[in-house]
Amino acid sequence: WTASAYDRRVRKFDFNIMCCASGHDEVTKEIDRGIKKEARAFREQVKLLLLGPGESGKSTIFKQMKIIQINGGFTQKELEAFRPVIYNNLISQMKVLVNAAERLGIPLLDYNKPQAQALNEISGTSMGGGWTTDLGIGIKSLWADPGIRGAFAAKDSDVNHRTVHFHLNDSASFFFDNIDRYLVPDFIPTEQDALRARVRSTGIDEAEFAFQDLSFKMVDVGGQRSERRKWIHCFESVTAILYVCSLSEYDQYLREDETQLRMHESLLLFDEICNNQAFRKTAIILFLNKEDLFREKIQKVDLRICFPNYEGGASYENGTSFIRDRFLEKNLQPNRTIFVHFTCAINTENIEFVFKSVRHTLLNQIIGTIGLGNDDDF
């Protein structure tokens, strides 16, 4: 070979290597594009399942999603739809207090007795049925009655380490305190009214919510025992479970079983969900909700009502840590991380902040499923 011939052969060899390398790079890029396309498609199928016992705050969180999503909020028509719900809450919850006062032997002022009788004659068969301005004025008068206030205070009584068994919605005092607004004909409920309005969840409610970094379907199901048989229909293709427990329910009993403390029921249910084979690869996010009510309650109601071995006193920090640990110890999968957040579902700012972290958890779950290295890749 001459030197020039050798140089030509070397240059041709180098060119072939470059072509092969270029082809390999294209294949690699095509594979990456396919993975990223699959990841984007998977993101569009994210399903978040809301589970937990009744009255833990699941439906309130569901309503918060509508508020904090992109271009979120309620329309005026949607807010107006809560008006009969609020009327119903005012009527039903004052009836609870009137009956509780009678059971406790707490007398009402004479001029309020006709108001109490009129209230108890309302059947309550329809949502907001029986509401009139005069009835609202009567409820306002009853709320100012020392006897009703005494009954209201007794809901947290634990003299004998047993509460008086009557069930009052957490939002009852909010609606009573704001009753002047509701006495105005055709008032427009606020977002806070909508968040606090209580309707027992039955069946399955689902909706799509869009955020800047992620869109997902959220499914809310009724938490009462009679509703749980329907849960199985929601278990397929779940990206993550958001389990909600009310921290402040530790001294309260189930509506459907007045021998079972709600906190004990919540722990049993979490145990079943956390260790269910169907969810062994599913992310579990635990919301310890109503931390604002818990902060107040632990100052006057001993946590030992529910947990006899608790020794942390009236400390909010000790109490929340103790309850968190009782939930975490239910997890029998040592390699699984339970993501815990302390929440106040009626506080939009709190839920917005917490859900940034939740979305990050969901994205990591997607990344792990697809097999990508980090969430910057798509």
Side-chain angles (χ1 to χ4, degrees):
W1 289 351
T2 64
S4 59
Y6 175 79
D7 290 341
R8 284 196 300 273
R9 293 290 297 273
V10 169
R11 285 196 295 272
K12 184 178 180 181
F13 181 70
D14 288 343
F15 177 74
N16 288 338
I17 291 175
M18 290 173 63
C19 286
C20 289
S22 176
H24 181 269
D25 287 345
E26 283 302 314
V27 172
T28 300
K29 289 178 181 177
E30 185 63 29
I31 292 171
D32 288 344
R33 282 193 290 269
I35 292 174
K36 291 173 184 177
K37 183 178 179 181
E38 186 180 354
R40 284 192 293 271
F42 196 84
R43 288 174 74 171
E44 294 171 0
Q45 300 171 12
V46 173
K47 179 178 175 182
L48 185 58
L49 184 57
L50 270 172
L51 296 180
E55 300 182 68
S56 57
K58 298 187 303 299
S59 295
T60 307
I61 290 168
F62 192 84
K63 287 185 278 190
Q64 285 283 19
M65 294 303 100
K66 183 172 178 60
I67 295 173
I68 68 176
Q69 68 173 337
I70 294 174
N71 300 320
F74 293 100
T75 65
Q76 180 168 319
K77 187 175 181 180
E78 288 171 332
L79 288 171
E80 287 176 351
F82 285 101
R83 189 186 298 133
V85 180
I86 293 168
Y87 291 154
N88 181 268
N89 286 183
L90 284 162
I91 293 169
S92 65
Q93 298 310 289
M94 185 52 73
K95 287 175 74 172
V96 169
L97 288 175
V98 166
N99 291 329
E102 184 177 350
R103 287 173 57 189
L104 292 166
I106 303 175
L108 303 183
L109 296 174
D110 287 343
Y111 64 80
N112 274 328
K113 290 177 181 178
Q115 320 285 1
Q117 184 177 349
L119 196 66
N120 277 329
E121 289 173 357
I122 297 173
S123 64
T125 53
S126 61
M127 185 62 69
W131 177 267
T132 63
T133 301
D134 286 344
L135 181 68
I137 292 170
I139 290 174
K140 178 180 178 179
S141 180
L142 284 165
W143 181 233
D145 192 298
I148 292 296
R149 291 295 181 135
F152 179 79
K155 72 184 177 66
D156 286 334
S157 171
D158 71 322
V159 175
N160 299 310
H161 284 219
R162 298 276 293 183
T163 57
V164 174
H165 289 190
F166 67 91
H167 302 281
L168 196 70
N169 293 348
D170 292 325
S171 58
S173 61
F174 172 86
F175 288 123
F176 295 144
D177 288 340
N178 285 275
I179 195 166
D180 284 336
R181 283 199 291 114
Y182 313 134
L183 293 175
V184 177
D186 298 326
F187 80 96
I188 306 298
T190 65
E191 279 191 349
Q192 268 299 304
D193 290 334
L195 287 170
R196 293 173 184 264
R198 165 76 180 154
V199 180
R200 178 181 170 180
S201 298
T202 57
I204 299 168
D205 195 6
E206 60 181 64
E208 301 273 353
F209 299 108
F211 293 83
Q212 215 166 25
D213 52 356
L214 183 70
S215 295
F216 55 83
K217 176 190 288 185
M218 179 174 278
V219 181
D220 178 27
V221 293
Q224 283 79 15
R225 287 177 176 176
S226 60
E227 295 293 318
R228 293 175 199 168
R229 64 180 181 274
K230 303 173 186 176
W231 290 10
I232 189 67
H233 304 296
C234 308
F235 283 3
E236 188 176 354
S237 303
V238 174
T239 309
I241 290 171
L242 178 51
Y243 188 90
V244 186
C245 166
S246 168
L247 283 167
S248 62
E249 68 188 1
Y250 64 89
D251 68 329
Q252 298 171 339
Y253 293 82
L254 296 177
R255 289 182 187 267
E256 59 267 45
D257 180 1
E258 293 197 344
T259 67
Q260 174 74 315
L261 282 166
R262 294 185 187 184
M263 182 65 76
H264 290 170
E265 179 82 356
S266 190
L267 283 163
L268 288 170
L269 188 56
F270 183 75
D271 190 346
E272 291 179 20
I273 296 299
C274 185
N275 299 303
N276 190 307
Q277 280 295 102
F279 302 131
R280 65 186 183 280
K281 294 183 179 179
T282 303
I284 295 183
I285 303 161
L286 174 62
F287 272 18
L288 296 176
N289 192 35
K290 304 186 184 181
E291 58 89 19
D292 56 325
L293 299 179
F294 178 83
R295 189 183 295 274
E296 295 176 6
K297 179 173 282 189
I298 198 169
Q299 300 301 316
K300 51 187 177 181
V301 182
D302 198 328
L303 190 56
R304 286 182 296 179
I305 289 175
C306 184
F307 302 106
N309 61 334
Y310 172 70
E311 298 179 350
S315 164
Y316 168 85
E317 290 75 16
N318 292 345
T320 51
S321 295
F322 185 90
I323 293 174
R324 178 197 61 204
D325 291 346
R326 299 294 72 74
F327 277 91
L328 293 181
E329 68 188 12
K330 297 296 182 183
N331 175 31
L332 301 181
Q333 297 185 50
N335 296 326
R336 161 181 269 168
T337 300
I338 306 294
F339 303 92
V340 184
H341 300 277
F342 294 96
T343 59
C344 174
I346 58 172
N347 185 326
T348 301
E349 187 176 324
N350 171 258
I351 295 301
E352 189 168 21
F353 175 80
V354 168
F355 251 85
K356 288 180 181 178
S357 177
V358 169
R359 294 199 303 274
H360 181 73
T361 300
L362 293 174
L363 285 169
N364 284 339
Q365 179 75 358
I366 295 167
I367 293 161
T369 301
I370 298 298
L372 292 175
N374 60 69
D375 54 2
D376 294 331
D377 288 337
F378 64 104

